[in-house]
Amino acid sequence: MSSPAAPAPAAPDHAPALVLTLPDGTTRTVAEGTLPRDVVAGIGERLLRAAVAVTIDGEVQDLATPLRRGGAFRVLTEKDPEALAVLRHSGAHVLATAVRRLRPDARIGFGPAIDDGFYYDFEVAAPFTPEDLAAFEAEMRKVAQEKLVFERAEVSRAEAQQVFRDDPLKLERLAELGEDEVISTYRDGDFVDLCRGPHVHDTGWLKHFKLLHTAGAYWRGDSKRQSLQRIYATAFFKKDDLDRDLFRREEAKKRDHRVLGRTLDLFHFFPQSPGAAFWTPRGTVLYNTLVEFVRERQADAFQEVKTPLIYTKLLWEQSGHWGKYRENMFLILDNESGEHDMSLKPMNCPSHYLYYGASKHSYRELPLRLTTMDVLHRNELSGALSGLTRVRQFAQDDCHVFLAEEQIAGEVRFLLDFILGHYATFGLSATLKFATRPEQRIGSDALWDRAEAGLRAALEATGMPYELKAGDGAFYGPKIDFDVTDSIGRTWQLGTIQLDYVAPERFDLKYTGADNVPHRPVVIHRAVCGSFERFLAILIEHFAGNFPLWLAPEQVAVIPISPELAEYGQRVADALKAAGLRASFDPHDEEDYRVRIREASVLKVPYMAVLGRREAEAGTVTVRRRGQEKRQDTLPLDAFVARLAEEARTRALAPAD
């Protein structure tokens, strides 16, 4: 491959001056085009050795990219969270370097950093094998040991076309760049990539990494385009962090809800209804227990309604979904018009607006919280379907709050406490993200100004820390997202509080104020579980199938050691059921009791009540707890029932002792 143009020359003396503000408030004035590494060197050589990249007004750029504007200037070291993405992006280039050394026929696509690592796409004649991955990883270690500098160069379009003449995927990307856009390449050794950066200084920074697996991918995510081979990998600055991540990944495999769903007999999927779960009797108990928990918590402050599943496009046009969400909706062909002018509902929001608008409301009713748990349908791509986490049919613990503008702060505080209390019941912790207006949105800038200011003020009034996610709001309003961390440290985006000034305008929603004149309410969209299906997938993996007693589909397995003890077994089962516990007992079971114990262990039943002659004579049970098979306690039947009833009533995460 031919070499790109030489690196950008040093900034000329007559270049415009840029003012950089350092974290301590001091300023540095430099010429436009100055390299960040020169600025960092001026601060201190020790800092330069530790520097991974810099930020200008929060935007990350590497040390080799000329400065083109002033602003807040901060040096990133490996201690800064933003630095990890720089390392991983560089790791993707090291991966591509290794692949091209061993497979020069591989055409290169994209290689971005992602939340949990990085990947690179390649166009090759045959899929990569596990042996290929092992060879690529070994070659990556050689590339890293060579400490090849990531040499940045700014090139003309013609020069870039020559450099990437044998890589049509890169040429396609090059053609999409604007006429005024800076075209840059990065070279490490013989490998050159079309890339904006940022990158670490040299390949030697990549010490602790691992190639994970390969997967098929389509170029630009389009199933009509080339089929590529994607190699996933991860990298960290510290070995301990990599080891923890790899352990977490292995643990996640053991907890895979798709595998446990079969093992624990909870749900099935069939190709005749893709993306829709078939819940078994055990799984249905689990599902309904979660729904009942949600209903119980909402009973006093929320009003549940049921609404239709099918609506005309008029509703979706009024809400704005028809233009922005139509491709994700299941459309219904009208036999008379021959047009797809109806659809299954993919969300509950517009149906709640219709319901609210059907009657008059007073300020005394507000905030009015409407909830619906109806079935929803979204037309997800078949390749995106994944167990319970990505489905086409699901239900949400959906709520829309209609309130006066002056009630926003109090309502946000109430909903925050409500949502966090829900997660705490399952031993889940959450962090908050505040998301602002996206580029594609509906509603005027004035409405968005009011919505963002109101929601931010309400969030800050709680005193809870949050992270800003600029441009990540819903198309109709800003939002607070809840990122929930499970027992092995993975983060899931679940609950949300979204403030909407647009829908009340579009649907002409009103309430009568204390002044006896009409006023426009605002709407808050609230979800806690997100969808019951996805939340249950998370719980299955969070608990590794070892559900707390109150949630377990089968709470106690009653197991007599011989058939003649069936009468006492029935008595024990009846006592447990009378206390509201889910106990299993089959008086006609002829299996050896050891088989029944093994079955209960596989199904992760929290308790086994093993009964022999001594237990029958004394009115006791011998208790075996899940995961503590070698420990057996003998208790009076009444005490055993009372203990379990209290554990279930309090929704304890674990037994008291």
Side-chain angles (χ1 to χ4, degrees), residues 312 486 502 565 576:
T312 68
D486 67 14
V502 176
L565 296 169
L576 290 163

PDB file of all heavy atoms in Angstrom, residues 312 486 502 565 576:
ATOM      1  N   THR A 312     -56.099   3.476  13.769  1.00  0.00           N
ATOM      2  CA  THR A 312     -55.889   3.964  12.417  1.00  0.00           C
ATOM      3  C   THR A 312     -54.651   4.851  12.377  1.00  0.00           C
ATOM      4  O   THR A 312     -54.185   5.350  13.402  1.00  0.00           O
ATOM      5  CB  THR A 312     -57.091   4.785  11.927  1.00  0.00           C
ATOM      6  OG1 THR A 312     -57.166   6.002  12.681  1.00  0.00           O
ATOM      7  CG2 THR A 312     -58.392   4.005  12.091  1.00  0.00           C
ATOM      8  N   ASP A 486     -26.376  -4.837  37.419  1.00  0.00           N
ATOM      9  CA  ASP A 486     -26.765  -6.132  37.974  1.00  0.00           C
ATOM     10  C   ASP A 486     -25.655  -6.711  38.852  1.00  0.00           C
ATOM     11  O   ASP A 486     -24.637  -6.059  39.115  1.00  0.00           O
ATOM     12  CB  ASP A 486     -27.185  -7.103  36.866  1.00  0.00           C
ATOM     13  CG  ASP A 486     -26.026  -7.498  35.949  1.00  0.00           C
ATOM     14  OD1 ASP A 486     -24.860  -7.247  36.295  1.00  0.00           O
ATOM     15  OD2 ASP A 486     -26.299  -8.078  34.874  1.00  0.00           O
ATOM     16  N   VAL A 502     -45.123  18.459  23.907  1.00  0.00           N
ATOM     17  CA  VAL A 502     -45.620  18.409  22.536  1.00  0.00           C
ATOM     18  C   VAL A 502     -46.972  17.713  22.443  1.00  0.00           C
ATOM     19  O   VAL A 502     -47.902  18.212  21.800  1.00  0.00           O
ATOM     20  CB  VAL A 502     -44.588  17.717  21.622  1.00  0.00           C
ATOM     21  CG1 VAL A 502     -45.124  17.575  20.206  1.00  0.00           C
ATOM     22  CG2 VAL A 502     -43.273  18.492  21.610  1.00  0.00           C
ATOM     23  N   LEU A 565     -45.443 -42.348  53.043  1.00  0.00           N
ATOM     24  CA  LEU A 565     -45.479 -41.062  53.740  1.00  0.00           C
ATOM     25  C   LEU A 565     -46.268 -40.007  52.963  1.00  0.00           C
ATOM     26  O   LEU A 565     -46.224 -38.817  53.288  1.00  0.00           O
ATOM     27  CB  LEU A 565     -44.049 -40.551  53.977  1.00  0.00           C
ATOM     28  CG  LEU A 565     -43.188 -41.423  54.898  1.00  0.00           C
ATOM     29  CD1 LEU A 565     -41.738 -40.979  54.856  1.00  0.00           C
ATOM     30  CD2 LEU A 565     -43.719 -41.353  56.329  1.00  0.00           C
ATOM     31  N   LEU A 576     -48.417 -25.368  53.669  1.00  0.00           N
ATOM     32  CA  LEU A 576     -47.659 -24.351  52.938  1.00  0.00           C
ATOM     33  C   LEU A 576     -48.575 -23.544  52.014  1.00  0.00           C
ATOM     34  O   LEU A 576     -48.512 -22.312  51.955  1.00  0.00           O
ATOM     35  CB  LEU A 576     -46.544 -25.007  52.132  1.00  0.00           C
ATOM     36  CG  LEU A 576     -45.386 -25.599  52.960  1.00  0.00           C
ATOM     37  CD1 LEU A 576     -44.560 -26.575  52.130  1.00  0.00           C
ATOM     38  CD2 LEU A 576     -44.481 -24.476  53.481  1.00  0.00           C
TER      39      LEU A 576
END
